[in-house]
Amino acid sequence: KIALRDGSEAILRPVRPEDEPVFQETFERLDKEDVRMRFFAPLGKLTHVLAARLTQIDYDRQMAFVAIRRRADGSYEGLGVVRIAIDPNHERGEYAVVVRSDLKGAGLGYLLMMAIIDYAKRQGLREIFGLVLRENERMLRMARQMGFTLHGVPDDLTLVEVRLSLR
């Protein structure tokens, strides 16, 4: 369990294939700008194919943690997700994170990032990195606060690569 700034609690666990409906619902609760910031393009809906790809992962080279909480009716609602894809040499991992739009500022993004950093350290990675739209000031600010360094992407001036050394 994790505690959010408002005192509410959530469950943080590895993603499972059966989370696809939760991902679909969570995606519907993202505003268009948050979708663009995460996927670098506007997406009208989360297709079954994409949702399956996000929930059915290769645990040898990928990990995703989902933050969920139980509703009064016993069903679960998705709050956010963080994932990492590890390179074939098992040295670096690329992360991505998304938090439901109505939960921005609740501290969930930070908690998700800490979870994936801890996971990457346990896997023995030397570095994690992410690609962030230059205009995504909230993510860039959080990355700086967490010790990431920021680097330009020579072939795409709209992106910043953020890197965190784990050694």
Side-chain angles (χ1 to χ4, degrees):
K1 288 193 175 193
I2 55 173
L4 305 183
R5 284 191 188 127
D6 66 3
S8 66
E9 287 188 340
I11 298 165
L12 185 65
R13 64 159 171 75
V15 70
R16 302 176 188 149
E18 59 267 25
D19 289 328
E20 185 178 335
V22 172
F23 273 57
Q24 297 279 3
E25 181 186 328
T26 303
F27 184 87
E28 291 171 10
R29 295 185 70 177
L30 293 174
D31 66 36
K32 290 180 187 338
E33 188 63 6
D34 288 339
V35 170
R36 189 178 68 78
M37 291 291 182
R38 166 58 183 92
F39 294 99
F40 302 162
L43 291 178
K45 66 178 195 156
L46 189 63
T47 65
H48 164 69
V49 172
L50 181 54
R53 199 175 92 213
L54 295 173
T55 57
Q56 299 173 28
I57 63 173
D58 170 7
Y59 289 101
D60 289 334
R61 296 230 343 251
Q62 299 175 345
M63 177 51 77
F65 295 110
V66 61
I68 56 174
R69 72 177 153 212
R70 189 181 292 268
R71 295 186 181 111
D73 68 5
S75 66
Y76 286 97
E77 65 175 331
L79 310 178
V81 65
V82 64
R83 64 184 54 253
I84 192 166
I86 300 170
D87 73 0
N89 296 329
H90 212 81
E91 292 183 9
R92 297 179 82 214
E94 181 177 4
Y95 82 88
V97 62
V98 68
V99 171
R100 215 171 66 193
S101 299
D102 62 321
L103 294 173
K104 284 184 183 176
L108 182 56
Y110 178 83
L111 293 170
L112 290 168
M113 287 299 299
M114 290 305 299
I116 212 67
I117 290 167
D118 289 344
Y119 174 82
K121 286 179 179 177
R122 288 193 314 271
Q123 294 300 305
L125 301 184
R126 70 174 168 79
E127 179 181 78
I128 68 168
F129 72 98
L131 294 173
V132 180
L133 285 172
R134 189 172 297 279
E135 65 194 272
N136 191 345
E137 295 173 9
R138 181 184 289 262
M139 186 64 214
L140 293 173
R141 183 173 43 254
M142 184 172 71
R144 272 191 216 94
Q145 290 170 347
M146 297 184 86
F148 284 77
T149 57
L150 281 57
H151 307 269
V153 177
D155 56 341
D156 190 339
L157 299 178
T158 67
L159 295 176
V160 176
E161 184 178 86
V162 297
R163 299 179 200 149
L164 180 66
S165 174
L166 301 178
R167 300 211 173 135

